[in-house]
Amino acid sequence: PASMNAKQGRRERRRNVDGPTYLLGNGMQATVIPGPPLGPGIETSSPEVVLAALGRFDLDMSWQTAGPTVVPMLPRWRAYPSETGDRVSVTLPPGIEVGFGLDLGPAVAFVVGEQVSRWGIDRVELVAAALTNVRRRAQRMRPRDVVQATIAGVPMRIVQTGEGVASALLLVADALPRLIGSDPQLLLAPMRDVLITLPPDVDPDFAAWLAVDFASADPNGLDVGLFPFEGGRVVRELIGGGAPPERSAAGLMH
């Protein structure tokens, strides 16, 4: 799903954005901001499909309705093209600042402080619901669907849930062994629904390049670093930058 910044015209005034603005049937205004070109193999929903999903969004939905759709939103590699309001964010183990979104299918609506107050919940309940939803969605993925790949001679596995939460598996380490085993390995999450496992002794510069190469191909690519996974735990570890070579990772994969 593609993230889109949609704002209520009666509550917020948009600024520093450049693109056509549409008034939706639910009273919201949505500005379609052209993004960078998509990388190889990257697909996104059309603006028409996204606008239709946003137009069906119930601004006054109850927590009972919203709770099952809440998902964690990990930090993006690119800055958002416009303001995203009073977004709720918390830092969760293994040390990632996480926002939250309501999954609308082809779009994501950020959770803001006003909504949390209206729902009558606290951040603990919001986090619990989001992580429960990640576990529930990941449970529907079969271990045999994990893709085996090699890039520049480095073996790896790629987890894609098909439900936009592979990256958020970093937040629920207990859900990982069923999909990738318990052996020591390193984890990258360069896209919302991509989690890559690497050998524990991989060259950090290669891992840094791989993260940037994948993330830069996706307008919503992520920037969350490299994480050792060992003993059933995900441990925080930052990686340095690596200059991307002339060929992309997609072109080196086989």
Side-chain angles (χ1 to χ4, degrees):
S3 297
M4 179 166 287
N5 182 29
K7 301 181 179 180
Q8 290 179 246
R10 63 179 181 272
R11 295 182 181 175
E12 294 187 11
R13 300 180 63 184
R14 63 187 179 87
R15 65 183 183 181
N16 299 327
V17 296
D18 184 15
T21 297
Y22 300 87
L23 179 62
L24 306 180
N26 56 6
M28 296 178 71
Q29 287 186 5
T31 300
V32 179
I33 304 170
L38 300 178
I42 304 299
E43 298 180 359
T44 187
S45 300
S46 68
E48 293 77 14
V49 170
V50 173
L51 289 171
L54 291 171
R56 295 189 296 269
F57 177 46
D58 180 3
L59 299 173
D60 299 314
M61 68 171 60
S62 66
W63 173 241
Q64 184 178 9
T65 300
T69 73
V70 174
V71 291
M73 302 288 288
L74 275 61
R76 286 187 9 151
W77 188 65
R78 293 181 174 91
Y80 287 102
S82 63
E83 291 183 4
T84 53
D86 179 25
R87 290 188 296 144
V88 176
S89 64
V90 299
T91 299
L92 298 178
I96 304 173
E97 184 177 358
V98 177
F100 301 90
L102 301 177
D103 191 345
L104 310 181
V108 174
F110 289 108
V111 174
V112 297
E114 180 182 341
Q115 288 171 306
V116 174
S117 297
R118 188 173 69 248
W119 289 331
I121 65 170
D122 59 22
R123 296 191 177 198
V124 173
E125 292 174 272
L126 181 67
V127 169
L131 298 186
T132 294
N133 292 338
V134 171
R135 289 188 175 93
R136 175 173 51 82
R137 294 184 180 199
Q139 189 63 35
R140 294 197 281 261
M141 182 181 181
R142 300 169 298 182
R144 68 171 180 260
D145 293 331
V146 176
V147 175
Q148 307 282 334
T150 301
I151 297 178
V154 177
M156 61 191 67
R157 290 172 293 176
I158 302 174
V159 178
Q160 290 186 282
T161 64
E163 303 202 37
V165 296
S167 61
L169 290 172
L170 290 171
L171 309 175
V172 288
D174 55 289
L176 285 170
R178 186 180 70 87
L179 297 173
I180 64 173
S182 300
D183 294 339
Q185 51 204 294
L186 299 178
L187 305 178
L188 284 176
M191 298 180 183
R192 188 175 167 216
D193 199 32
V194 172
L195 182 72
I196 300 174
T197 80
L198 298 168
D201 59 350
V202 70
D203 181 347
D205 285 340
F206 171 81
W209 162 74
L210 189 67
V212 170
D213 192 81
F214 267 80
S216 62
D218 180 359
N220 295 304
L222 304 180
D223 180 18
V224 290
L226 178 68
F227 299 83
F229 177 67
E230 51 191 30
R233 296 178 60 246
V234 177
V235 183
R236 175 64 167 169
E237 178 179 298
L238 294 176
I239 55 176
E246 295 181 0
R247 291 182 294 171
S248 72
L252 293 169
M253 187 183 298
H254 65 271

